[in-house]
C-alpha cells in the first residue's frame, strides 16, 4: 500500500482549522479550507448588490479566515507566499472536491451529531483509501465513525493538533479498533518527517493524554491555592522555569489558553468520569464567575492578570479584585537557584518544609499518582505520557521523568505516610528492585514496562549530542565548544559557551575543526542542541575591553573571527551550518560563509549589530552582499546598486526573519540551502547534506573579486538615511552607523563597478566596527542591551 499525501482538506476554518491549513501550506501541501455557508449577507455585501447566491458570499467564512492568517500573532504562516496553497470554499458547493484529497481533517464544532452528519457526507464523496481524521479534543473517535463504510473506518483516526499548530510540537494520533495498522504507522512517520511533529499514539479516552493530565494538574494547583491561601502571583513565581515548566507557569498559561477553552476541556472529563476524579475536574466557583464576566485572559484583555499602565496586577480569587502581584520567596527557592541541574533543583524544592516546598509537593505528587493510575488506560506506555506532556505543555520533564528526578523510593514513602493510594504496579515495581522508570544501558535509554526495561523507540533521524559525548565520541573540546564524531565520516562542531556567544575559545575551535576535518573527515556540521543556535559575539567582553580602551585586543579578536570565517568558507571539505531558534549577529556570520545552510524551520536569523550601535564585524556585510549577488541568474545584467540597497536595508534595519522560509526571502538562505521542518531531525539532515556534498566531489569555492558600487553608490545608499535623519526618524548616532555601513558595503571611494578583493572589504568592515566600538553612544547601547535586554535609541 503506497500512502502519500499530495493534497489535503481542512473542514472548519476557525482558529484551529485555519491554523492546521496554514501548517499544511507551510510544508508545501495544497489545502482546501471549507466552512459553512453564511445565513445572511453583511451590510458591505448588500451595498455591493451581492446575495446569498454569490460565490464570494458563500465562501466568506473561509475566505475571511485565510485573510486573518496574515494578521495573526504569532504568525501561523512561515512565509506569506504559502497563502497561495490554501483554497477557500464552502461545505455545500465544494464537498465534491474532497474526491481529489488524500487526507481530510475535520475541525468543526465539538458536537458528536454535527460531526457524524459531516462524516456521512464525506463518506459519499471521498476517494477510497484516503485518510479521514478528526481534530477533536474530547469526543470519542469510535463514536464519530459509527455507521460509516468499512473503507472509511479502516482509514479513520483522531489527529489532535495543539494550538498554535505551527509552533506546538505535539500531535496525538488516536486510532480506533478498525483503523488499519499501516494507516497508523504512516500517520506517525508523516507527522514526524513531513509535519515536523512529536507524534504520540493515544487511546480513545476523554481528552486523550496531554489535556487529561495537564488539565488535572492545573485544577489541582488552583484548589491548593484556594485551600492554603496562596496568591495567583505566588503560585506562578514557583511553577515556571524553577521546576522546568514554561515561563507562563500556571495562571499566565490559563490566560493565554483562554478560560473558556480551559473550562470546556475540563468539562469533557468531568462529564465522563466518577468519584474523586469527577470532583477534581469540577471547576471552582470563582472561575465560573470569571467566565460569566468574560474575563477570559489575553483575548479579552483581562483574566488572572491585568495590565494597568506599566504594572501587571493579579486577581484575588476570593474578592475578584485586582491586587499588586506577589512572589513566593523562601529558603528553598533561594537554595534551588544555587543547585546545578533541574534534578537537584527539584529535590531542593519539593522536600523543603516551607511554603514553596509544601505547595510544590501538594501539586506535583497528585499529578504523578494520577499519571500512574491512568498509564495503561490512556497510553501504551509511560514514554507516550512523558512525551505528550513535554511536547504539548512545554514541560522539561514528563511525570515519570519528574518522579525519577525527585527519587521514586523517597517520594513513594512520603506519599504512603500521607495516606495516598499508590497504584499497585508501582509497589510491585519497587518490591522487585526496580527503583527508576528510566535508565541508561550501554548508552541507550530504556524505560520500565510490565516488569522489565525496554528500549525507548525513537525516529532514526534523531541524533543526541549528549549521548555521543557519553560514548566518548569527543574529538577535542575547550571551554566554548566541542568537536564530536557524528559517524559516517562527519564531525560536528557544538558551541557550549553561555548563550553560545562567540569568544576566542569558539574561534580557536573553528580553526582546529577545519584542519582536523580536512585531514580525517568527509565534512563538518556546525550545530548544537541548546535553546538557540547562537546569539552573536560575547558583547560583555567587547564592552569591557572598549571601556578599558583595549582596542588592540578587540581588533585581534575581530581579525581572528574574520580569518576563521574565511577558513570555513575556503575549506576543502564541505561545511554545513545547522541554525535554529535565534541565530543573530555572529551566529548568522558563521552560517553565511558555510558551503550550505540546513536551517530548522523555526530559525530567526538576522545581522542585528546596529541595535547595539555597531555593524557586523565578522564578514557578515560582505557575505550577505555576495550571497545576494550569487543568487542572481547567470548572464543577466546585474544592477549592483539594487543589490547593495537591499543588503543595506536588511542590515541597517536589523531585520530578523520570523522563520527559515522568511530567511530565504531576506536572502540569508538561497535556493541551494535546505529547511528541516522537524527540529529534532536537523543534525541528521545537515549530516546527510555534508555526506552528499562530499560524495558529489565537493570542491572549495574559487576566490573571486567582488564588484562594488563605490563612491557614487555610497552616496545613493546614504540618501535614504539622510531623509530619515532630517525627518527625525533616526538620531545623529543612527546616521553615523548608517554612514559606516554604507561605506563598507559600497567598497569605499572606488569607482562604480570596481572589482575588489574580499580581504579589502574585511579590512573596511573591521575599521568601521572598531571606530564604532570606541563611540560613547555605542557603548551606552551595548550596556543597555546587556542590562535591559532591549535596544536603546540615543
Amino acid at each position: 500500500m503506497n500512502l502519500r499525501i499530495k493534497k489535503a482538506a481542512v473542514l472548519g476554518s476557525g482558529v484551529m482549522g485555519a491554523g492546521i491549513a496554514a501548517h499544511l501550506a507551510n510544508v508545501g501541501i495544497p489545502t482546501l479550507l471549507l466552512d459553512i455557508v453564511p445565513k445572511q449577507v453583511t451590510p458591505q455585501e448588500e451595498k455591493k448588490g451581492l446575495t446569498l447566491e454569490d460565490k464570494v458570499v458563500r465562501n466568506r467564512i473561509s475566505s475571511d479566515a485565510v485573510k486573518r492568517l496574515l494578521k495573526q500573532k504569532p504568525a501561523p504562516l512561515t512565509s506569506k507566499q504559502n497563502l497561495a496553497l490554501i483554497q477557500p470554499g464552502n461545505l455545500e458547493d465544494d464537498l465534491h472536491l474532497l474526491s481529489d484529497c488524500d487526507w481530510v481533517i475535520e475541525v468543526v464544532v465539538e458536537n458528536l451529531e454535527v460531526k457524524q452528519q459531516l462524516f456521512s457526507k464525506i463518506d459519499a464523496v471521498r476517494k477510497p483509501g484516503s485518510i479521514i481524521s478528526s481534530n477533536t479534543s474530547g469526543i470519542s473517535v469510535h463514536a464519530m465513525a459509527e455507521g460509516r463504510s468499512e473503507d472509511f473506518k479502516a482509514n479513520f483516526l483522531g489527529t489532535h493538533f495543539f494550538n498554535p499548530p505551527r509552533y506546538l510540537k505535539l500531535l496525538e494520533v488516536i486510532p480506533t479498533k478498525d483503523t488499519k495498522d499501516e494507516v497508523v504507522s504512516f500517520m506517525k512517520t508523516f507527522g514526524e518527517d513531513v509535519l515536523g511533529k512529536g507524534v504520540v499514539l493515544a487511546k480513545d479516552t476523554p481528552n486523550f493524554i496531554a489535556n487529561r493530565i495537564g488539565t488535572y494538574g492545573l485544577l489541582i494547583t488552583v484548589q491548593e491555592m484556594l485551600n492554603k491561601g496562596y496568591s495567583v502571583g505566588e503560585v506562578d513565581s514557583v511553577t515556571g522555569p524553577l521546576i522546568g515548566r514554561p515561563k507562563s507557569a500556571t495562571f499566565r498559561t490559563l490566560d493565554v489558553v483562554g478560560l473558556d477553552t480551559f473550562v470546556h476541556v475540563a468539562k469533557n472529563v468531568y462529564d465522563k468520569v466518577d468519584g474523586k476524579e469527577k470532583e477534581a475536574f469540577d471547576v471552582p466557583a470563582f472561575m465560573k464567575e470569571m467566565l460569566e464576566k468574560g474575563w477570559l485572559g489575553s483575548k479579552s484583555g483581562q483574566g488572572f492578570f491585568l495590565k494597568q499602565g506599566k504594572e501587571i496586577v493579579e486577581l484575588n480569587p476570593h474578592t475578584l479584585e485586582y491586587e499588586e502581584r506577589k512572589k513566593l520567596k523562601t529558603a528553598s527557592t533561594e537554595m534551588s537557584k544555587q543547585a546545578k541541574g533541574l534534578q537537584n533543583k527539584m529535590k531542593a524544592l519539593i522536600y523543603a518544609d516551607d511554603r514553596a516546598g509544601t505547595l510544590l509537593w501538594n501539586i506535583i505528587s497528585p499529578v504523578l499518582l494520577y499519571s500512574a493510575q491512568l498509564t495503561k488506560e490512556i497510553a501504551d506506555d509511560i514514554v507516550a505520557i512523558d512525551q505528550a506532556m513535554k511536547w504539548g505543555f512545554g514541560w522539561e520533564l514528563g511525570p515519570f521523568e519528574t518522579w525519577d528526578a525527585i527519587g521514586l523510593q523517597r517520594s513513594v514513602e512520603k506519599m504512603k505516610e500521607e495516606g495516598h493510594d499508590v497504584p499497585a504496579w508501582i509497589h510491585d515495581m519497587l518490591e522487585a528492585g526496580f527503583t527508576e522508570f528510566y535508565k541508561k544501558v550501554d548508552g541507550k535509554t530504556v524505560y520500565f514496562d510490565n516488569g522489565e526495561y525496554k528500549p525507548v523507540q525513537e525516529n532514526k533521524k534523531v541524533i543526541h549530542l549528549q549521548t555521543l559525548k557519553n560514548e566518548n565520541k569527543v574529538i577535542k573540546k575547550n571551554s566554548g565548544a566541542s568537536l564530536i564524531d557524528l559517524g559516517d565520516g562527519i564531525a560536528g562542531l557544538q558551541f557550549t559557551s553561555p548563550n553560545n556567544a562567540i569568544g576566542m575559545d569558539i574561534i580557536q575551535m573553528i580553526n582546529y575543526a577545519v584542519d582536523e576535518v580536512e585531514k580525517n573527515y568527509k565534512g563538518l556540521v556546525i550545530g548544537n542542541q541548546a535553546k538557540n543556535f547562537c546569539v552573536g559575539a560575547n558583547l560583555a567582553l567587547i564592552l569591557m575591553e572598549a571601556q578599558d580602551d583595549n582596542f588592540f585586543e578587540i581588533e585581534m579578536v575581530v581579525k581572528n573571527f574574520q580569518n576563521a570565517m574565511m577558513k570555513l568558507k575556503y575549506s576543502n571539505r564541505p561545511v554545513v551550518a545547522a541554525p535554529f531558534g535565534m541565530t543573530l549577529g555572529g551566529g548568522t556570520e558563521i552560517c553565511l560563509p558555510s558551503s550550505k545552510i540546513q536551517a530548522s524551520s523555526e530559525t530567526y536569523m538576522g545581522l542585528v549589530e546596529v541595535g547595539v550601535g555597531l555593524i557586523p564585524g565578522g564578514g557578515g556585510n560582505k557575505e550577505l552582499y555576495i550571497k545576494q549577488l550569487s543568487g542572481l541568474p547567470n548572464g543577466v545584467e546585474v544592477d549592483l546598486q539594487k543589490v547593495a540597497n537591499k543588503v543595506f536595508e536588511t542590515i541597517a534595519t536589523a531585520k530578523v526573519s520570523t522563520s527559515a522560509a522568511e530567511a530565504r526571502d531576506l536572502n540569508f538562505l538561497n535556493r541551494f540551502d535546505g529547511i528541516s521542518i522537524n527540529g529534532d531531525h536537523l543534525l541528521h539532515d545537515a549530516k546527510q547534506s555534508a555526506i552528499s556534498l562530499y560524495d558529489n566531489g565537493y570542491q572549495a569555492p574559487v576566490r573571486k573579486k567582488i564588484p562594488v558600487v563605490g563612491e557614487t553608490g555610497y552616496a545613493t545608499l546614504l540618501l535614504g538615511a539622510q531623509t530619515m535623519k532630517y525627518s527625525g526618524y533616526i538620531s545623529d548616532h543612527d546616521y553615523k552607523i548608517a554612514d559606516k555601513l554604507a561605506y563598507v558595503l559600497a567598497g569605499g571611494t572606488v569607482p562604480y563597478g570596481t572589482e575588489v578583493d574580499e580581504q579589502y572589504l574585511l579590512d573596511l568592515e573591521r575599521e568601521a566596527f572598531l571606530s564604532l566600538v570606541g563611540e560613547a553612544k555605542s557603548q551606552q547601547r551595548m550596556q543597555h542591551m546587556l542590562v535591559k535586554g532591549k535596544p536603546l535609541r540615543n
Side-chain angles (χ1 to χ4, degrees), residues 321-607:
E321 310 250 312
Y322 287 95
E323 299 171 355
E324 193 183 333
R325 190 159 51 157
K326 300 171 203 58
K327 280 185 176 173
L328 199 51
K329 204 172 172 183
T330 67
S332 69
T333 60
E334 294 313 294
M335 217 164 76
S336 79
K337 284 172 191 166
Q338 309 309 316
K340 284 268 182 281
L342 186 54
Q343 193 166 347
N344 294 321
K345 287 183 192 293
M346 295 282 284
K347 280 182 182 157
L349 285 161
I350 206 152
Y351 295 117
D353 191 15
D354 60 23
R355 282 190 82 218
T358 308
L359 170 69
L360 289 172
W361 171 261
N362 288 344
I363 64 176
I364 288 173
S365 58
V367 173
L368 303 184
L369 289 168
Y370 187 61
S371 303
Q373 283 155 9
L374 290 176
T375 295
K376 291 294 177 184
E377 182 191 325
I378 62 173
D380 287 330
D381 52 51
I382 63 170
V383 179
I385 292 175
D386 280 344
Q387 287 175 335
M389 296 319 297
K390 290 192 290 187
W391 294 338
F393 276 74
W395 294 8
E396 222 170 295
L397 299 173
F400 297 98
E401 290 169 325
T402 300
W403 219 329
D404 276 349
I406 64 170
L408 180 60
Q409 275 173 301
R410 183 179 175 186
S411 59
V412 167
E413 277 162 26
K414 187 170 178 181
M415 288 165 181
K416 286 199 288 202
E417 275 168 30
E418 292 177 354
H420 296 296
D421 288 336
V422 178
W425 73 271
I426 303 275
H427 284 298
D428 297 344
M429 175 184 171
L430 287 168
E431 270 172 29
F434 297 103
T435 56
E436 51 196 340
F437 292 107
Y438 295 92
K439 62 178 186 176
K440 289 267 189 228
V441 176
D442 301 329
K444 301 274 184 276
T445 306
V446 294
Y447 69 98
F448 180 80
D449 189 40
N450 285 340
E452 59 175 333
Y453 284 109
K454 297 176 179 173
V456 172
Q457 298 299 320
E458 243 182 339
N459 190 304
K460 288 185 172 56
K461 294 182 182 175
V462 177
I463 293 173
H464 293 290
L465 291 177
Q466 193 52 52
T467 305
L468 292 173
K469 285 176 153 181
N470 297 344
E471 292 168 3
N472 299 319
K473 300 285 185 176
V474 176
I475 303 161
K476 186 182 171 81
K477 70 174 192 172
N478 65 17
S479 55
S482 298
L483 188 64
I484 303 164
D485 188 337
L486 300 180
D488 303 315
I490 302 296
L493 179 61
Q494 174 198 26
F495 301 160
T496 53
S497 61
N499 288 327
N500 293 345
I502 300 161
M504 274 312 293
D505 44 9
I506 284 181
I507 295 169
Q508 283 161 0
M509 210 57 176
I510 290 170
N511 287 320
Y512 174 83
V514 174
D515 291 340
E516 175 65 19
V517 167
E518 285 190 333
K519 273 192 233 122
N520 299 313
Y521 290 85
K522 293 177 177 178
L524 175 68
V525 166
I526 303 177
N528 60 72
Q529 290 170 321
K531 191 177 168 195
N532 295 300
F533 176 73
C534 172
V535 294
N538 188 333
L539 194 60
L541 197 71
I542 295 171
L543 178 62
M544 208 163 63
E545 298 290 1
Q547 287 171 338
D548 290 345
D549 288 339
N550 204 343
F551 295 104
F552 174 76
E553 185 74 25
I554 298 172
E555 175 161 33
M556 189 196 75
V557 174
V558 175
K559 195 165 177 41
N560 277 321
F561 185 38
Q562 289 184 343
N563 292 345
M565 293 306 95
M566 291 293 274
K567 191 163 181 167
L568 270 186
K569 181 172 184 172
Y570 293 107
S571 159
N572 289 316
R573 293 282 185 265
V575 175
V576 179
F580 62 93
M582 286 204 276
T583 301
L584 305 175
T588 296
E589 288 185 296
I590 282 171
C591 296
L592 289 171
S594 301
S595 323
K596 181 176 177 179
I597 300 172
Q598 181 69 38
S600 165
S601 181
E602 295 303 329
T603 299
Y604 316 121
M605 205 170 198
L607 294 165

Side-chain angles (χ1 to χ4, degrees), residues 264-326:
H264 170 78
V265 171
K267 190 176 182 309
N268 267 338
V269 184
Y270 179 82
D271 289 344
K272 296 182 182 88
V273 296
D274 304 302
K276 265 183 139 174
E277 191 178 1
K278 197 177 188 75
E279 276 171 42
F281 280 91
D282 190 6
V283 174
F286 87 94
M287 285 168 82
K288 291 175 183 164
E289 205 174 321
M290 284 172 73
L291 196 59
E292 280 166 28
K293 289 177 181 286
W295 297 356
L296 309 178
S298 307
K299 57 184 160 190
S300 66
Q302 72 182 100
F304 293 99
F305 294 101
L306 172 68
K307 196 167 185 192
Q308 287 183 341
K310 285 190 174 177
E311 291 301 303
I312 291 175
V313 289
E314 62 173 68
L315 185 74
N316 179 325
H318 304 286
T319 63
L320 286 193
E321 310 250 312
Y322 287 95
E323 299 171 355
E324 193 183 333
R325 190 159 51 157
K326 300 171 203 58

Side-chain angles (χ1 to χ4, degrees), residues 15-16 137 162-164 168 211 214-215 218 246 248-266 287 291 295-300 302-304 392-393:
V15 172
M16 199 67 199
S137 55
F162 275 61
N163 195 25
L168 277 190
N211 276 343
T215 308
L218 285 163
S248 55
T250 301
F251 293 102
R252 181 81 192 94
T253 297
L254 284 170
D255 273 353
V256 171
V257 167
L259 191 59
D260 49 347
T261 305
F262 176 75
V263 169
H264 170 78
V265 171
M287 285 168 82
L291 196 59
W295 297 356
L296 309 178
S298 307
K299 57 184 160 190
S300 66
Q302 72 182 100
F304 293 99
F393 276 74

Side-chain angles (χ1 to χ4, degrees), residues 159-170:
T159 50
H160 182 216
F161 287 83
F162 275 61
N163 195 25
R166 170 182 161 188
Y167 301 94
L168 277 190
K169 191 172 166 181
L170 181 61

Side-chain angles (χ1 to χ4, degrees), residues 173-193:
V173 166
I174 310 99
T176 72
K177 62 182 193 318
D178 301 310
T179 315
K180 282 187 293 205
D181 290 346
E182 59 260 47
V183 170
V184 180
S185 128
F186 169 79
M187 281 312 285
K188 184 168 174 28
T189 307
F190 175 81
E192 289 169 353
D193 293 358

